[in-house]
Amino acid sequence: MDWTEQVFELIDMRSFSNLWYWIVLATVWSSASHWTLGVPYDMILRARRRGGQFEEDLVSIVKVNVNRIVHVSSQSGVTLVAGGSFAMTTLGLLGFLYRIEFCQAIFLILFPMTFVAWLSIKAANRIHETSPEGEDLRKVLLRHRLYVQVIGMASIFVTAFWGMYQNLDIGAIPS
């Protein structure tokens, strides 16, 4: 067995039966849950517990990230939506109409992340308009994190069931 066969065996294109896919899925949702509008969750907790300089740091980082998200969404929002819609449609058609499992797998990771992106833009705009501080800012961030976690749980649930369905090969087209 030469090295190319070993590499392709390690990176198996049958995604749902591959351990690497599930590691990537868990990492994506863990990261999405930890980084709330670009702010790490532990920073929110530290600001709540200790206040003072930690609270000021939280407000500063949130302000920088919110301004960045608002700017990008206002300048390139239409282009990002059009490109994202094209990519999601292409992945969805290739995955579910043409039954390419790799495209199904990528779609099942990226499609729910579009809802996270939409919620992030919505939360950033709310923070930009109202400029909350202290407990009010932490409530917005923690509520956003909760919504991301709910989307993540639903996504992992759907992906796990779809993966089991694919691995059982119930939906295979007879040759």
Side-chain angles (χ1 to χ4, degrees), residues 79-155:
T79 305
L80 291 172
V81 168
S85 298
F86 174 77
M88 289 296 104
T89 302
T90 301
L91 283 171
L93 288 174
L94 288 173
F96 298 102
L97 186 63
Y98 292 104
R99 296 179 162 266
I100 299 172
E101 186 175 324
F102 185 73
C103 292
Q104 292 174 2
I106 298 301
F107 181 86
L108 288 172
I109 290 176
L110 293 181
F111 184 69
M113 291 303 289
T114 61
F115 294 106
V116 172
W118 176 73
L119 283 174
S120 295
I121 292 169
K122 187 176 172 183
N125 282 326
R126 183 179 314 120
I127 291 171
H128 185 72
E129 291 169 1
T130 61
S131 299
E133 290 191 15
E135 184 62 29
D136 294 333
L137 177 61
R138 288 191 303 273
K139 279 183 182 179
V140 172
L141 294 173
L142 293 174
R143 188 176 314 116
H144 175 70
R145 181 175 190 262
L146 176 67
Y147 294 156
V148 170
Q149 287 176 326
V150 168
I151 292 170
M153 287 188 309
S155 171

Side-chain angles (χ1 to χ4, degrees), residues 154-169:
S155 171
I156 291 170
F157 181 79
V158 168
T159 303
F161 271 94
W162 185 258
M164 285 188 286
Y165 177 75
Q166 291 298 311
N167 287 334
L168 290 174
D169 210 24

Side-chain angles (χ1 to χ4, degrees), residues 18-113:
N18 191 332
L19 177 63
W20 292 107
Y21 176 74
W22 298 104
I23 291 171
V24 167
L25 180 71
T27 303
V28 164
W29 285 109
S30 175
S31 296
S33 176
H34 179 71
W35 293 91
T36 306
L37 295 179
V39 177
Y41 178 63
D42 60 297
M43 184 176 227
I44 300 168
L45 294 180
R46 198 173 304 118
R48 177 195 290 172
R49 290 183 191 135
R50 297 186 184 170
Q53 183 62 43
F54 296 107
E55 185 74 35
E56 292 173 24
D57 291 346
L58 176 68
V59 170
S60 298
I61 289 181
V62 168
K63 185 176 181 179
V64 167
N65 288 327
V66 162
N67 287 338
R68 181 182 55 84
I69 292 169
V70 168
H71 176 72
V72 168
S73 67
S74 67
Q75 296 297 313
S76 305
V78 173
T79 305
L80 291 172
V81 168
S85 298
F86 174 77
M88 289 296 104
T89 302
T90 301
L91 283 171
L93 288 174
L94 288 173
F96 298 102
L97 186 63
Y98 292 104
R99 296 179 162 266
I100 299 172
E101 186 175 324
F102 185 73
C103 292
Q104 292 174 2
I106 298 301
F107 181 86
L108 288 172
I109 290 176
L110 293 181
F111 184 69
M113 291 303 289

